């Protein structure tokens, strides 16, 4: 996805520069423009809405405090997503250490959109390393080089995970459709 996209006719870089000068409304607009992407990415790590909300809230707080450390305004979105991924990983580590007694979700909560639920179920069946790369590439439109930077890995590793992730997704999807 183009890092120079505009939100309401205002460039991302302009909003970042305003936020860097202390304009809280510019920061809010930057976050609002990234809200859906942040939710999708956090959702790829968690099914629990509380964990998703915690990851996004921690990301916003960290981004606000760390904004002066952003070296190039055009990389705001990449920088923000990297913070989010780190927050998600932190929450996963914290949850592993706590290992609470298994909590069962409320029964009877219907899925708003069955197709969406099926897709999410398929995505959740994939290993996290494939799910994240697929979501960043297909869901958020990041290039292979940007994903490599976000996840701090080699571009060839990203390409391999994309290929394997597609194959695993296809295999799971084909297996489910074969049973209909």
């Amino acid at each position: 996805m183009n890092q120079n996209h505009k939100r309401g006719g205002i460039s991302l870089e302009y909003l970042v520069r305003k936020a860097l000068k202390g304009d809280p409304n510019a920061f809010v607009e930057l976050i609002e423009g990234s809200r859906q992407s942040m939710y999708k990415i956090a959702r790829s790590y968690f099914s629990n809405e509380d964990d998703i909300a915690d990851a996004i809230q921690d990301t916003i707080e960290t981004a606000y405090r760390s904004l002066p450390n952003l070296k190039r305004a055009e990389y705001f979105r990449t920088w923000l997503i990297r913070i989010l991924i780190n927050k998600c990983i932190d929450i996963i580590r914290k949850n592993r250490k706590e290992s609470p007694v298994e909590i069962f979700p409320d029964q009877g909560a219907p899925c708003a959109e069955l197709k969406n639920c099926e897709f999410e179920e398929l995505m959740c069946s994939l290993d996290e390393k494939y799910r994240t790369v697929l979501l960043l590439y297909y869901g958020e439109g990041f290039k292979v080089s940007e994903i490599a930077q976000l996840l701090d890995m080699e571009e060839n590793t990203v390409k391999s995970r994309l290929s394997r992730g597609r194959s695993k997704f296809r295999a799971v999807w084909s297996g489910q459709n074969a049973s209909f």
Side-chain angles (χ1 to χ4, degrees), residues 71-89:
K71 292 178 180 31
R72 294 180 61 185
E74 65 267 22
Y75 292 123
F76 174 80
R77 187 166 176 262
T78 304
W79 174 77
L80 183 68
I81 298 303
R82 181 68 213 163
I83 292 170
L84 176 62
I85 289 169
N86 287 335
K87 295 298 178 184
C88 289
I89 291 168

Side-chain angles (χ1 to χ4, degrees), residues 11-30:
S11 76
L12 182 73
E13 292 83 2
Y14 176 75
L15 287 172
V16 172
R17 283 193 278 282
K18 282 185 70 170
L20 281 166
K21 291 179 182 174
D23 183 340
N25 293 328
F27 183 77
V28 169
E29 195 165 336
L30 286 166

Side-chain angles (χ1 to χ4, degrees), residues 116-168:
N116 216 10
C117 290
E118 290 172 357
F119 176 76
E120 287 178 15
E121 221 175 274
L122 282 172
M123 287 298 284
C124 287
S125 71
L126 298 177
D127 189 296
E128 177 187 311
K129 64 185 178 184
Y130 302 122
R131 186 173 59 237
T132 302
V133 171
L134 287 171
L135 179 68
L136 290 172
Y137 187 78
Y138 290 108
E140 297 305 314
F142 282 104
K143 298 175 188 166
V144 169
S145 60
E146 294 169 328
I147 296 170
Q149 180 186 359
L150 276 169
L151 300 178
D152 195 27
M153 63 179 61
E154 296 292 324
E155 284 186 34
N156 285 336
T157 304
V158 172
K159 290 176 186 176
S160 295
R161 288 187 182 178
L162 271 172
S163 177
R164 289 183 186 131
R166 282 189 291 259
S167 295
K168 289 179 184 291

Side-chain angles (χ1 to χ4, degrees), residues 46-66:
F46 307 111
S47 57
N48 179 327
E49 290 294 325
D50 291 337
D51 287 338
I52 293 169
D54 287 346
I56 292 172
Q57 181 178 343
D58 290 351
T59 298
I60 293 168
E61 182 182 335
T62 299
Y64 186 76
R65 281 187 284 107
S66 302

